[in-house]
């Protein structure tokens, strides 16, 4: 009996799972909420775009959760032997870069910077760099359109260079004090394997390819002179980025003695190269060609893969198409919706319709379940947090249409669910328009497990059966699988992901099949959704509505500054 | 000391005021809520378009309120003498037609029909006849565009013939049993003066001109053969409509002995020809050329007058331009917003954001008051109940745009107020585009009196000072003024409305002046409002968004039937 550990650093907490390497079944899980800020996030009431995290929380989290799963597994099974843990895998959110000094110490851990939000980890949903993102996009369009071709045609404010350039602009002291910036995932694997000294760090393909325009076609990261045009100091920063990145079948290194002691693990076991949570969630969901994996949480990540030896066009609006970012040997295609659960949470927590009892997710879901498709006359856009795919535009906002004097909260709640389903279909359609057929949809994440109404609406809107992963921790399971592959077959793991996934992944018995009547109504509603989507989302739309949300945001910015 | 009584039949209740004819000051008021249905309205949970009233409530209401004001005035002042009441004026909602038999008895009062909603009074906001309205509009466009030129180019589902034709279609038994249909206002004045036998009834110009295409230019009501094209029976119904209608300076007749006894009044005092509540509200607000009177309640009525001897173009979208409908000798111009207070009530009562305490009008107004124009990034359309002016389209719905994950209920509440202000400005602009300069805005109604935030936003959005009438019962005051004019100077009343208004009307001291900074921001926001307005409201808009709300309503109708 061999085991692996998967660590999953989410937006508000980190969790560890300890799984049986033979069948993927969980022996124990543990969660540690980050302590700093509001639910683990450092916010700024004057700037809704800001979202940071304290790297110290990451270290506390791994110590607590790894010891806890070992402890729990030991209590549940007296034969359990932590010495049979053969590997570790780690996923994190991203792009979540943090500045580190020459010793690999996060600036946030230095006295000088410990209270400075700019020295912390810049969480994926930090959008402070939106104007830098526009600047990078413009420069790339003019000088290097190839840089953008594989990442949807637009460089996002959520990504690596937007954040670093923004820091350089607003807080040069922090920028100057940093030797380099590392993604959260790379920081973790390097830390555990003693490769944190920046020159040795094995940066992961996943983050580099999806968020930092890394591509072997042009020698890795964007050229020094390209970055220098944005700012000479950004050109210098380029020198700290190696020209090679690594896929998750590689080891980041071996667990150091120090960390082995801290965590109660055997020294020298392999730590797999890291990846983003969603990508390892794809692995843990059994992703393969033709299967779309949707990780539905506060936002979604939609993952697909495509063999590198088969033709694949650039797909506009898809956030990234990266060789080996999910599975080695496959293009990893990443799409997503900027807010899904967050929209329902906004409605419940901020608007709280009907008060706390009548306005709970449960009560609103009950009301929404009574309705038929189209019955409310409502239609919404799922853009309360912008649109990641296929518009790649954070400067978009929500829209609700069709209200009468009789519209009830349960109707609005359902319209918001439907809006996210229409957004999901728009992503599927975009994949298929460019030849990536989606024949199966695998869902994971808390909402998929707990909300049958949402799953049924997704089936009815997309016209596709919705499956749900057996594990409730697919990201962490994916990391554990990576740990098993890093260990290899001779250590009791696997030599390929296909073998590991076949053994370790599974689906729940319940699935959601499309109701043909509902699908018919939703086909009609989707045409209207798409009309609004294009009118408000595309500058090229003939009716020129695309200015409306942007001008409102511009007016808002002026009032607030 | 002479007195007059004004009766004001509103949507949920009737009120009477007893005023001093010399200065318009109130001696007493009384209110009687209608007893039937929900807050006086007969509804149908399966059809939100339906809104009816029980005529018996109208009779109970007048008896109670007139006796009550006399009683109250007597208690307050022992010298009070009901014999010095020189006239009565009456206003009602409209178009609110009811079917009556050959004796003038409402069908609703006959055993056979008493429980049939189609035999009741069809309240102004009943929209069941929306497809008949479209049919009438189409026929008029083809055969008699002149019929529509003075009523905004579109015949509304709220109006006389739409309702009667709809009844004919869905309930021919009721239609066949009716000798004729009379407006609520005409029913009341005819009843009190014994002229209810249909051949004698003096129908008022106001209702006929604004809601039934009455115009001397084509000999009164629409031609028999025109109506017969819609249905031969509607042609027959035309024979029951006289070719003359009357303005409010005319007497409908003298109070009958029976009613004098019932009400405690002197037999034979004049009852003025009736009019709609808003129009007499205009009179009670001191309307004259250049002054826009806004009656702000659940919906608004916006009134202007223009001398009949001066040029006036047809103004598209203005619900009616009728000679003498407000003041004799002036064109009466009627515009309005289908929902204002109703939108705020919807948000508070149905959505109840934050629960009952945090979601009250008071609490939301407090939150909204803290915000600056443009600060929320929100923009709404005020179409939850369709758009009366300038689009004349009930098949439009609400829209809210700009939501983020941080949007708060107070921000939405303010956006809804602003939406109604933008709607108000759209009406003012339309008047001015066609030469009817609006130099002063006089507001009346509960919201104008009680919500300083709303009044300030209206001033800031329109760039015009907002004044508020002194009387809190301007419609009833206007009716009382009509009673005084019907009595004439020699009975202690007046021979002209100008004299009567000069003596009896007044403004509150407080006014709201536009803040130039706010006006600047709102000018920019209004451009965006107008863009949404035109895109979703005009079929001719290049981006073709006008289908969206209509198709959603069509899908909704199919699901619900």
């Amino acid at each position: 009996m061999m085991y692996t550990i998967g660590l999953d650093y989410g937006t508000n907490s980190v969790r560890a799972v300890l799984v049986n390497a033979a069948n993927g079944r969980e022996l124990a899980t543990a969660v540690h909420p980050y302590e700093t800020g509001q639910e683990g996030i450092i916010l700024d009431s004057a700037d809704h775009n800001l979202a940071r995290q304290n790297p110290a929380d990451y270290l506390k989290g791994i110590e607590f959760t790894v010891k806890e799963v070992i402890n729990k597994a030991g209590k549940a099974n007296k034969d359990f032997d932590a010495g049979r843990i053969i590997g570790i895998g780690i996923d994190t959110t991203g792009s979540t870069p943090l500045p580190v000094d020459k010793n690999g110490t996060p600036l946030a851990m230095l006295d000088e910077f410990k209270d400075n939000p700019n020295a912390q980890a810049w969480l994926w949903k930090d959008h402070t760099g939106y104007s830098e993102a526009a600047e990078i996009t413009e420069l790339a369009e003019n000088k290097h359109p190839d840089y953008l071709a594989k990442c949807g045609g637009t460089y996002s404010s959520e990504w690596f260079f937007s954040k670093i350039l923004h820091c350089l602009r607003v807080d040069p002291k922090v920028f100057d004090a940093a030797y380099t910036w590392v993604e959260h995932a790379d920081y973790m694997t390097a830390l555990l394997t003693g490769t944190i000294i920046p020159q040795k760090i094995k940066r992961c393909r996943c983050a580099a390819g999806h968020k930092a325009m890394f591509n072997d076609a042009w020698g890795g990261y964007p050229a020094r002179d390209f970055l220098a045009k944005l700012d000479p100091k950004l050109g210098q920063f380029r020198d700290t980025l190696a020209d090679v990145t690594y896929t998750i079948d590689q080891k980041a290194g071996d667990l150091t003695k120090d960390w082995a002691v801290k965590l109660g693990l055997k020294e020298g076991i392999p730590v797999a190269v890291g990846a983003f949570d969603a990508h390892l969630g794809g692995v843990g969901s059994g992703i393969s060609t033709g299967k779309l994996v949707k990780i539905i949480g506060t936002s979604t990540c939609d993952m697909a893969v495509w063999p590198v030896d088969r033709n694949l066009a650039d797909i506009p609006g898809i956030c990234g198409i990266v060789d080996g970012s999910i599975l080695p040997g496959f293009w990893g295609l990443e799409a997503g919706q900027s807010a899904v659960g967050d929209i329902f949470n906004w409605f419940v927590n901020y608007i709280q319709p009907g008060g706390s009892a009548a306005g709970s997710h449960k009560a609103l879901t009950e009301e929404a379940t009574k309705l038929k498709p189209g019955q409310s006359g409502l239609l919404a856009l799922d853009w309360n947090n912008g649109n990641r795919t296929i518009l790649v535009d954070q400067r978009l906002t929500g829209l609700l249409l069709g209200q009468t004097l009789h519209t009830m909260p349960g109707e609005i709640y359902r319209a918001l669910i439907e809006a996210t389903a229409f957004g999901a279909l728009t992503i599927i359609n975009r994949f298929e328009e460019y030849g990536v057929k989606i024949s199966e949809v695998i869902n994971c994440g808390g909402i998929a497990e707990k909300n049958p109404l949402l799953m049924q609406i997704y089936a009815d809107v997309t016209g596709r059966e919705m499956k749900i992963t057996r594990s409730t921790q697919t990201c962490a399971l994916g990391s554990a699988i990576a740990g098993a592959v890093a260990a290899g077959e001779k250590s009791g793991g696997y030599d390929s992901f296909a073998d590991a996934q076949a053994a370790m992944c599974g689906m729940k018995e319940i699935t959601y099949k499309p109701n043909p009547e509902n699908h018919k109504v939703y086909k009609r509603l989707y045409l209207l959704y798409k009309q609004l989507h294009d009118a408000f989302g595309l500058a090229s739309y003939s009716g020129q509505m695309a200015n409306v949300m942007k001008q409102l945001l511009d007016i808002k910015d002026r009032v607030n500054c």
Side-chain angles (χ1 to χ4, degrees), chain A residues 134-415:
Chain A
E135 204 178 323
I136 295 169
T137 299
E138 199 189 338
L139 183 67
E141 278 169 353
N142 291 331
K143 302 283 174 192
H144 262 293
D146 51 332
Y147 285 178
L148 297 179
K150 299 283 180 195
C151 65
T154 306
Y155 198 79
S156 164
S157 61
E158 292 188 359
W159 296 352
F160 196 65
F161 292 114
S162 302
K163 286 168 168 165
I164 296 167
L165 183 56
H166 186 68
C167 179
L168 193 165
R169 295 268 166 78
V170 299
D171 200 341
K173 268 196 182 166
V174 167
F175 183 88
D176 291 343
Y179 168 74
T180 192
W181 293 65
V182 292
E183 282 285 348
H184 179 193
D186 295 333
Y187 174 70
M188 295 314 303
T189 58
L191 183 71
L192 295 188
T193 59
T195 58
I196 183 62
I197 298 166
Q199 293 87 334
K200 289 194 203 165
I201 192 168
K202 286 192 181 170
R203 296 183 192 253
C204 67
R205 172 70 54 79
C206 177
H210 283 290
K211 312 296 182 187
M213 299 185 279
F214 181 97
N215 195 311
D216 284 334
W218 48 82
Y221 288 96
R224 191 186 202 282
D225 68 336
F226 174 84
L227 295 174
K229 278 201 184 73
L230 295 160
D231 194 295
K233 285 183 176 177
L234 201 67
Q236 291 163 25
F237 162 66
R238 172 65 175 84
D239 298 339
T240 69
L241 303 173
D243 292 335
V244 186
T245 55
Y246 299 86
T247 51
I248 53 167
D249 51 337
Q250 309 288 311
K251 283 199 307 188
D254 301 319
L255 188 67
T256 64
K257 187 174 173 181
D258 277 5
W259 276 101
V261 171
K262 269 190 211 170
L263 301 178
L265 293 171
K266 203 163 66 180
E267 185 185 346
I269 59 169
V271 177
V273 164
F276 289 148
D277 42 10
H279 295 68
L280 280 168
V283 172
S285 301
I287 198 166
S288 64
T289 309
K291 293 181 187 171
L292 180 76
V293 172
K294 289 185 70 66
I295 303 180
I296 309 177
T298 53
S299 63
T300 74
C301 229
D302 296 29
M303 306 275 123
V305 294
W306 192 254
V308 287
D309 53 7
R310 280 167 67 184
N311 257 351
L312 178 65
D314 295 337
I315 308 182
I318 299 301
C319 309
I321 304 176
V322 175
D323 176 3
S325 70
I326 299 175
L327 289 177
F330 292 81
W331 294 106
L333 296 98
E334 186 198 336
Q337 294 170 261
S338 306
V340 173
D342 265 349
I343 297 181
F344 317 142
N345 287 336
W346 161 71
F347 193 59
V348 164
N349 298 333
Y350 283 61
I351 306 305
Q352 203 186 41
S356 51
S360 69
H361 287 293
K362 187 168 172 293
L364 288 167
T365 300
E366 272 169 26
E367 290 305 312
T369 304
K370 294 174 192 164
L371 298 165
K372 290 179 195 156
Q375 194 176 359
S376 70
L378 295 174
L379 186 61
L381 287 176
D382 50 327
W383 298 354
N384 289 41
N385 196 27
N387 179 292
R388 193 182 299 156
T389 313
I390 56 175
L391 298 170
V392 198
D393 190 346
Q394 297 301 335
R395 302 274 288 173
L396 293 173
T397 50
L399 185 151
L400 178 68
L401 183 150
Q403 301 92 302
T404 69
L405 296 174
H406 306 280
T407 298
M408 297 296 287
E411 295 179 310
I412 297 175
Y413 193 75
R414 184 173 178 119

Side-chain angles (χ1 to χ4, degrees), chain A residues 25 53 67 75 82 183 199 236 276 286 292 329 447 520 532 558 561:
Chain A
R25 300 282 181 178
Q53 288 188 325
K67 284 194 287 195
K75 277 188 185 158
E183 282 285 348
Q199 293 87 334
Q236 291 163 25
F276 289 148
L292 180 76
I447 295 178
K520 220 166 110 185
L532 290 176
R558 278 162 199 254
C561 81

Side-chain angles (χ1 to χ4, degrees), chain A residues 425-471:
Chain A
L425 178 56
T426 306
I427 292 173
I428 291 173
N429 288 346
R430 178 54 56 97
F431 277 127
E432 295 208 330
E433 282 155 24
Y434 286 81
V436 179
K437 179 91 192 140
I438 303 296
S439 52
E440 205 176 314
V441 180
I442 301 171
N443 298 277
C444 53
I447 295 178
E449 288 152 27
K450 288 177 201 157
N451 197 322
L453 173 67
L454 179 134
M455 279 290 95
Q456 188 60 52
I457 289 173
Y458 276 44
D460 292 345
V461 165
T462 64
R464 287 167 174 84
E465 186 176 356
M466 293 288 133
K467 298 182 175 176
I468 301 174
T469 55
R470 183 182 64 199
S471 169

